[in-house]
């Protein structure tokens, strides 16, 4: 009689617990680095508080007039040595065309804020997945500029003694600029290096160029910082080298955002997936990533 093989009755399959992965239970650091949908009330509060803090610190930097004027003289001599000291020629040429210089005065006083806020609103509405990272670039750029204001006080060309520059706001009695005129006491007159007119306008221009889909809008994005550069020089509010300082601050902002998010802000997905889709690992559609 052959051996019979008795197959034991199998009980219910024992449940094997799944390991908790970093994706299902991300660490605090990972959550902070993950783009999320911005909240309107928080963004309004954050931008208002940040600009108030920026203005407070910028204007609290000691107005070291003598050192600021010495630094301005050094910058002016250096630009002559490099053969790029054209600020005075541009300043006088533009000042001779009244409608042009008046327009530049108002451009300098207003668009710096209007365009920057408009780009932030556009990012919030149309590119929520890229908003926080791109906003970080702007905030980091502004933050490092404050260090420059403190360490290197610099008088703008219009305040130089013997520089023969024309303060176009005073000459044409235009409204709105805190650089001179009735509002000059509300702003630190010796915080010209780096130029945040260039830092912010280049941030706007690159953001528009990278994310806009209409060709002429992208072209305007590149034109905006170029025109701003001409304006800050023509109105005698900055040297060319102040613009270089603004560009370096912006480069720092992009480097910080790249390090924090692991990629450039513009390469992040356009839309943030909802929590329900993220929990079920539902992939984003192509139009949400672009």
């Amino acid at each position: 009689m052959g051996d019979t093989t008795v197959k034991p009755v199998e009980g219910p399959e024992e449940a094997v617990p799944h390991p908790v992965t970093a994706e299902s239970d991300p660490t605090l650091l990972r959550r902070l680095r993950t783009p999320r949908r911005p909240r309107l009330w928080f963004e309004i509060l954050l931008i208002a508080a940040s600009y108030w803090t920026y203005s407070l610190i910028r204007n609290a930097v000691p107005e070291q007039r003598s050192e600021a004027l010495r630094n301005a003289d050094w910058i002016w001599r250096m630009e002559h040595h490099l053969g790029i000291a054209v600020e005075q020629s541009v300043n006088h040429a533009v000042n001779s065309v009244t409608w042009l210089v008046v327009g530049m005065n108002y451009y300098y006083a207003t668009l710096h804020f209007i365009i920057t806020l408009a780009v932030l609103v556009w990012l919030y509405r149309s590119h929520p997945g890229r908003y926080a990272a791109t906003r970080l670039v702007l905030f980091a750029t502004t933050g490092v500029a404050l260090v420059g204001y403190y360490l290197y006080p610099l008088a703008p060309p219009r305040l130089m003694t013997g520089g023969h520059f024309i303060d176009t706001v005073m000459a044409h009695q235009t409204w709105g600029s805190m650089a001179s005129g009735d509002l000059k006491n509300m702003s630190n007159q010796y915080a010209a290096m780096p130029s945040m007119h260039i830092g912010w306008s280049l941030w706007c221009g690159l953001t528009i160029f990278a994310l806009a889909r209409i060709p002429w809008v992208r072209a305007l994005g590149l034109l905006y910082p170029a025109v701003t550069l001409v304006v800050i020089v023509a109105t005698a509010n900055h040297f060319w080298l102040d613009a270089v300082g603004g560009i370096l601050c912006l480069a720092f902002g992009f480097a910080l955002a790249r390090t924090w998010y692991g990629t450039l802000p513009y390469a992040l997905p356009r839309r943030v997936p909802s929590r329900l889709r993220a929990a079920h690992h539902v992939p984003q559609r192509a139009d949400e990533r672009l």
Side-chain angles (χ1 to χ4, degrees):
M1 186 177 204
D3 295 332
T4 59
T5 303
V6 179
K7 184 177 180 180
V9 179
E10 295 182 355
E13 184 179 355
E14 183 178 356
V16 179
H18 294 284
V20 177
T21 63
E23 290 185 359
S24 60
D25 186 19
T27 63
L28 175 61
L29 182 61
R30 185 160 188 162
R31 287 201 301 269
L32 291 174
R33 288 179 169 180
T34 302
R36 63 184 63 191
R37 189 177 302 277
R39 298 178 180 179
L40 181 59
W41 67 268
F42 176 78
E43 294 303 324
I44 293 175
L45 183 63
L46 179 63
I47 292 171
S50 299
Y51 183 72
W52 177 81
T53 304
Y54 164 74
S55 300
L56 185 67
I57 296 175
R58 182 179 186 269
N59 296 335
V61 172
E63 294 193 2
Q64 300 164 308
R65 183 176 184 275
S66 58
E67 185 179 355
L69 290 172
R70 285 196 302 270
N71 289 337
D73 289 337
W74 184 88
I75 290 281
W76 191 227
R77 290 195 303 270
M78 176 61 67
E79 290 194 349
H80 274 286
H81 178 72
L82 296 174
I84 59 173
V86 298
E87 290 93 335
Q88 189 181 96
S89 300
V90 175
N91 175 234
H92 284 257
V94 170
N95 188 68
S96 63
V97 185
T98 302
W99 66 266
L100 180 59
V101 70
V102 168
M104 286 189 173
N105 284 343
Y106 288 126
Y107 180 111
Y108 184 88
T110 60
L111 292 191
H112 179 53
F113 306 103
I114 294 173
I115 300 297
T116 304
L117 285 175
V119 172
L120 281 170
V121 172
W122 172 61
L123 282 170
Y124 177 88
R125 291 176 58 88
S126 300
H127 297 268
R130 297 160 179 158
Y131 175 85
T134 313
R135 186 241 291 141
L136 175 61
V137 175
L138 181 66
F139 279 31
T141 298
T142 306
V144 76
L146 292 173
V147 178
Y149 298 147
Y150 186 86
L151 296 178
Y152 195 77
L154 179 67
R158 59 185 172 77
L159 293 183
M160 289 178 63
T161 55
H164 306 293
F165 285 93
I166 300 170
D167 187 333
T168 57
V169 170
M170 294 295 294
H172 298 275
Q173 296 297 306
T174 52
W175 167 88
S177 176
M178 290 188 178
S180 53
D182 295 336
L183 299 178
K184 65 182 179 181
N185 294 326
M186 296 177 61
S187 179
N188 187 347
Q189 298 297 292
Y190 304 111
M193 172 66 84
S195 169
M196 280 299 93
H197 271 74
I198 290 300
W200 288 13
S201 66
L202 188 56
W203 175 86
C204 292
L206 292 176
T207 300
I208 293 171
F209 179 77
L211 300 181
R213 296 182 177 181
I214 303 174
W216 65 266
V217 173
R218 301 181 72 206
L220 285 179
L222 294 181
L223 185 62
Y224 174 52
V227 173
T228 300
L229 178 60
V230 175
V231 168
I232 67 172
V233 170
T235 56
N237 280 296
H238 288 283
F239 295 99
W240 289 105
L241 292 181
D242 298 344
V244 175
I247 294 171
L248 292 176
C249 289
L250 182 65
F252 170 82
F254 273 109
L256 180 63
R258 172 68 175 79
T259 301
W260 182 255
Y261 286 97
T263 187
L264 288 175
Y266 310 137
L268 292 169
R270 179 181 181 183
R271 301 286 181 183
V272 179
S274 65
R275 293 181 181 179
L276 181 62
R277 291 179 61 185
H280 290 81
H281 304 288
V282 178
Q284 288 181 287
R285 300 192 307 269
D287 64 326
E288 293 178 328
R289 295 192 298 268
L290 298 177

